[in-house]
Amino acid sequence: MFVFIIRRLIQCVIVLLTVSLLCFILFQFAGDPVVNMAGKYATIEDIERVRSSLGLDKPFYVQYIRFIGNAAQGNFGMSYVSKMPTLELILERLPATVELAMTAMCIAFIAGVFLGVLVSLKPHSVFSRSIMALSLGGISIPTFLMGILLIMVFAVWLGVLPPFGRGETVNLGFWRSGLITVEGLKHIILPAMTLAMFQLAVLLRLTRGSMREILTEEYVVTAWAKGLPPLKVIFKHALRNALIPVITIAGLQIGEMIAFSIVTETIFQWPGMGNLLVRSIFETDNPVLVTYIMLAALIILAINLVVDILYAYLNPKIRYE
Amino acid sequence: MNMKVKPNTNLLDVKGMKIHFHSSEGVAKAVDGISFHLDRGEVLGIVGESGCGKSVTAKSIMRLIPTPPGKIAAGQIIFDGTDLLKLSIQQMRRIRGNRIAMIFQEPMTSLNPVFTIGDQISEMFILHRGLRRKQALEQAVEMLAKVQIPEPCKRSREYPHQLSGGMRQRAMIAMALACDPQILIADEPTTALDVTIQAQIIDLMLQLKEDFHTSIIMITHDLGVIAEIAQTVAVMYAGKIVEQAPAVDLFDRASHPYTQGLLKSIPKLGRRAAKGRCDLSEIPGIVPSLYRLPQGCSFYPRCEKAHAVCNSLMPDLHSVSEHHRVRCWLYADKGKRKD
């Protein structure tokens, strides 16, 4: 297991280097930030001065190597726009996004798996058929439409939940949390539901398929033959096996939600990383974009590592030796 | 647990059981009115080709037939004085595993791959004996020792895929016998094993039967296994019992053409060396579809000794001697024959 983790960490470094290189190459062609920064009325000399002060006149590989050297020390550069360290800028907004993604994932995983199991037990009942039809809706309705629908119903018609913002937050030192105030909780419900809906539908359908297959396995018959009560047979003997593929997908989903909850954050004016990303794209704030992408890659890699470890725990046939 | 000790030796009495499966093709009569009984300490063998209804019979005793599509359409299963078919699901759960246990054909797939052997056996003690986990695990190790698994303590912490096929079947037997059941239903327990391991498992089952005073229903298509272990035998064909006899009688005086065919089709070791290569005997044709059974005797289309009457009427079970009964027109009283 130890060797496996070490090997995976080395792989992570390689992936991060590749991602950063790709970013760098792409942004060479993605607009010239200097033109924006120097302002409308800048002369050619002004522009060149700004360019050399940022080190953008140096050849590509010099820029890249300097970036990697700095990044290794935790310095990802300054935002062109706000003149703040990019990492600080992003980390400040990380808690909002992580809280949103985690809440959404909890909703999606618990509801998705539970409904998936329920549906798999009586696949032909009216209840199951309606849930499956609804889940198709969950998969095919785009996020922005779902968000607007939820705002319309719960914020406009019923007026029970706030339509945007994060509400009241409490500073816990390094982490600004909205989950411990009533207002904060009220504010997170709609965006979390919006973000969860698609993933919930995916997990539901996956769990259902997996459970239907597992329920016909001989060891499930054995569990019934032992005289175990239905809850034990279904949730211990069958679900534990059925979860193996579900966990893999759920892990991928968490990474995706943290890194790319952009649409949801925009609809609900959620002060998270996604919102920052959209703004930075408009402002050609390349350092922020590169840092963001690096961080997203890191988060996804880390979650995948956790999923792989969890996978070995769930499936004893896989022991990374 | 209230065990009623009764003077009679009759432990299980299955009467006129019919099991139907409903599907889009119609109704499959998987089991069509079978009756048999099992005495205390007896080993009953149920033999037949695949699809004859023997596994369904076994599962129905535990009420493990998935409904729908399956349905026990008629009959009684009297176990120790109570009709199992009339029990509630909760009452039935106290019988499953505890008083009637079952082992399956594929030891590979009948143990749960994500739990250790020890966990799976200890579950029986926690469920039916109310033991705590730690004590239950100790008991599980003891059971593994009883089924002659070497290093039981170490094995109990292993997962099914770490054990060989024979080991896994031993672990299955340990699990089945954990709560000292009165009946052990073994559904083809040796079919998936190597021949040498088969013999070991059969020896083990016979020895444990004496130690635990368990009655066994042995379901198999292997007449060799039956010869080793069973005292009485029921031969099934297309959902019906076609011959019922003590094992000795069955092997010496097989009466039903189907049973005779089965016995003849066992290849004999050394025959080729003695007589040269010759065709193996077989029963011509295939088992009829359960959706389209022949009108008369189900075996009629494949029978060498068929008469006109066989095509139109299903024969009853006729006695040929005291405990030996055959479902064939050949043994009906001459007066009742219609040809």
Side-chain angles (χ1 to χ4, degrees):
Chain A
M1 197 63 182
F2 183 69
V3 180
F4 165 76
I5 292 174
I6 295 290
R7 203 184 302 146
R8 281 300 295 267
L9 287 178
I10 295 171
Q11 278 176 13
C12 287
V13 173
I14 296 171
V15 171
L16 284 176
L17 281 174
T18 317
V19 168
S20 65
L21 185 63
L22 283 175
C23 273
F24 243 78
I25 294 172
L26 271 177
F27 287 133
Q28 290 295 307
F29 306 104
D32 189 351
V34 178
V35 177
N36 266 340
M37 291 169 67
K40 242 179 194 169
Y41 306 106
T43 58
I44 307 254
E45 287 81 56
D46 287 341
I47 291 180
E48 285 314 313
R49 208 176 46 246
V50 172
R51 195 182 297 282
S52 70
S53 77
L54 291 169
L56 293 177
D57 52 344
K58 301 264 173 13
F60 165 70
Y61 61 90
V62 176
Q63 286 185 37
Y64 180 66
I65 289 170
R66 202 201 293 162
F67 169 77
I68 293 295
N70 286 335
Q73 295 162 33
N75 176 10
F76 285 85
M78 293 284 185
S79 158
Y80 295 154
V81 179
S82 64
K83 316 289 186 214
M84 273 175 66
T86 54
L87 194 63
E88 209 173 285
L89 209 58
I90 292 172
L91 288 183
E92 192 184 83
R93 285 159 169 269
L94 183 74
T97 298
V98 169
E99 281 183 359
L100 176 62
M102 285 304 174
T103 310
M105 197 61 216
C106 286
I107 296 174
F109 191 80
I110 295 171
V113 167
F114 184 74
L115 286 175
V117 170
L118 226 54
V119 167
S120 73
L121 296 178
K122 286 210 159 68
H124 302 297
S125 70
V126 176
F127 171 78
S128 299
R129 282 172 199 269
S130 345
I131 291 285
M132 289 314 286
L134 281 177
S135 81
L136 264 187
I139 284 180
S140 45
I141 295 178
T143 313
F144 69 88
L145 189 59
M146 182 67 77
I148 290 168
L149 279 175
L150 287 176
I151 290 177
M152 204 164 80
V153 174
F154 290 97
V156 180
W157 290 352
L158 300 176
V160 286
L161 292 170
F164 66 86
R166 204 180 166 206
E168 196 184 342
T169 56
V170 178
N171 204 346
L172 305 172
F174 63 99
W175 192 273
R176 186 171 279 279
S177 177
L179 288 180
I180 43 182
T181 63
V182 178
E183 270 309 299
L185 284 175
K186 268 189 176 175
H187 277 82
I188 208 169
I189 295 176
L190 287 186
M193 293 245 291
T194 307
L195 193 56
M197 213 49 86
F198 174 79
Q199 314 290 14
L200 191 159
V202 171
L203 290 180
L204 187 160
R205 298 183 81 87
L206 197 66
T207 307
R208 168 186 179 267
S210 184
M211 273 299 277
R212 284 197 69 181
E213 194 184 314
I214 299 288
L215 282 174
T216 62
E217 291 281 346
E218 196 104 293
Y219 53 78
V220 175
V221 182
T222 307
W224 288 116
K226 279 165 128 179
L228 288 168
L231 283 180
K232 273 247 161 105
V233 176
I234 292 158
F235 286 98
K236 184 179 171 190
H237 283 263
L239 185 59
R240 177 86 182 261
N241 282 283
L243 274 185
I244 291 171
V246 177
I247 286 288
T248 315
I249 299 297
L252 292 174
Q253 288 180 341
I254 298 180
E256 229 171 77
M257 280 177 168
I258 293 178
F260 306 111
S261 56
I262 301 161
V263 175
T264 310
E265 288 192 4
T266 310
I267 297 172
F268 289 93
Q269 294 295 301
W270 192 258
M273 303 192 315
N275 235 330
L276 176 70
L277 181 73
V278 175
R279 222 180 55 207
S280 303
I281 292 174
F282 286 136
E283 292 166 345
T284 332
D285 199 348
N286 287 355
V288 176
L289 297 182
V290 172
T291 316
Y292 184 91
I293 292 170
M294 294 289 287
L295 197 68
L298 189 69
I299 290 171
I300 291 176
L301 285 171
I303 288 169
N304 267 315
L305 183 62
V306 172
V307 167
D308 279 340
I309 293 169
L310 203 63
Y311 199 76
Y313 165 76
L314 275 179
N315 186 358
K317 280 188 200 170
I318 295 173
R319 287 284 136 100
Y320 306 102
E321 295 309 335
Chain B
M1 200 174 66
N2 57 339
M3 269 213 274
K4 285 174 245 165
V5 180
K6 289 196 166 185
N8 70 345
T9 57
N10 216 345
L11 184 57
L12 182 77
D13 218 335
V14 174
K15 289 180 186 165
M17 186 166 65
K18 291 185 179 186
I19 302 163
H20 295 174
F21 284 86
H22 299 265
S23 81
S24 51
E25 275 188 74
V27 179
K29 295 177 178 171
V31 172
D32 193 13
I34 69 165
S35 305
F36 60 85
H37 71 94
L38 181 71
D39 288 342
R40 289 176 203 279
E42 187 189 351
V43 181
L44 167 73
I46 299 182
V47 210
E49 286 169 277
S50 28
C52 72
K54 54 192 195 303
S55 286
V56 175
T57 305
K59 284 194 178 137
S60 67
I61 295 171
M62 298 277 270
R63 302 240 320 251
L64 288 174
I65 304 289
T67 40
K71 187 172 188 294
I72 299 182
Q76 289 177 306
I77 302 173
I78 314 277
F79 168 62
D80 214 6
T82 41
D83 186 350
L84 295 183
L85 296 180
K86 292 212 172 76
L87 292 184
S88 69
I89 291 294
Q90 283 78 9
Q91 289 170 317
M92 196 58 216
R93 277 212 304 275
R94 284 198 286 274
I95 290 188
R96 284 180 189 157
N98 191 18
R99 300 179 65 192
I100 306 179
M102 194 159 175
I103 55 180
F104 298 95
Q105 175 172 358
E106 274 283 346
M108 189 81 181
T109 53
S110 49
L111 287 165
N112 197 323
V114 301
F115 297 107
T116 62
I117 301 292
D119 265 343
Q120 296 188 51
I121 299 175
S122 65
E123 212 171 25
M124 299 289 278
F125 295 111
I126 295 169
L127 182 69
H128 295 298
R129 295 281 179 272
L131 293 191
R132 295 191 173 280
R133 200 179 131 83
K134 190 164 169 279
Q135 296 163 303
L137 276 171
E138 282 164 15
Q139 296 267 304
V141 172
E142 218 167 279
M143 276 314 297
L144 287 176
K146 279 185 192 158
V147 295
Q148 296 156 19
I149 286 182
E151 298 179 89
C153 203
K154 175 171 163 272
R155 291 294 183 190
S156 76
R157 287 192 296 270
E158 292 187 343
Y159 290 91
H161 72 275
Q162 290 167 293
L163 271 58
S164 69
M167 285 288 184
R168 274 193 286 250
Q169 198 57 293
R170 283 171 194 267
M172 253 329 263
I173 293 173
M175 190 160 86
L177 293 179
C179 289
D180 210 350
Q182 287 155 291
I183 301 178
L184 175 66
I185 302 172
D187 188 359
E188 306 242 15
T190 57
T191 306
L193 303 174
D194 288 346
V195 185
T196 46
I197 309 292
Q198 282 186 11
Q200 289 176 12
I201 294 291
I202 287 176
D203 282 345
L204 177 71
M205 287 181 68
L206 280 174
Q207 189 203 322
L208 291 173
K209 169 181 122 45
E210 297 304 320
D211 297 351
F212 286 77
H213 307 289
T214 309
S215 308
I216 298 178
I217 299 178
M218 173 66 92
I219 291 168
T220 179
H221 65 262
D222 187 341
L223 284 163
V225 171
I226 293 292
E228 284 294 329
I229 198 168
Q231 282 136 28
T232 48
V233 187
V235 181
M236 280 186 74
Y237 187 81
K240 283 193 163 63
I241 290 180
V242 294
E243 185 158 5
Q244 227 167 358
V248 185
D249 283 6
L250 189 90
F251 285 102
D252 286 353
R253 287 184 290 280
S255 305
H256 197 283
Y258 176 64
T259 317
Q260 291 167 351
L262 276 184
L263 285 169
K264 259 190 275 174
S265 50
I266 303 172
K268 295 202 173 46
L269 281 180
R271 186 177 62 181
R272 202 181 85 188
K275 297 182 183 167
R277 184 179 288 282
C278 55
D279 281 346
L280 294 170
S281 330
E282 56 176 308
I283 303 175
I286 53 163
V287 183
S289 159
L290 291 172
Y291 294 105
R292 279 175 292 278
L293 285 178
Q295 197 191 3
C297 174
S298 322
F299 189 59
Y300 161 77
R302 301 171 73 186
C303 185
E304 290 172 346
K305 300 174 183 166
H307 303 264
V309 65
C310 303
N311 193 12
S312 52
L313 277 174
M314 173 54 92
D316 293 329
L317 275 170
H318 300 287
S319 296
V320 285
S321 64
E322 199 192 340
H323 297 292
H324 192 163
R325 303 194 300 161
V326 185
R327 186 183 296 278
C328 180
W329 286 116
L330 291 174
Y331 303 92
D333 292 333
K334 292 286 175 200
K336 286 184 192 161
R337 290 261 297 258
K338 288 173 185 164
D339 58 336

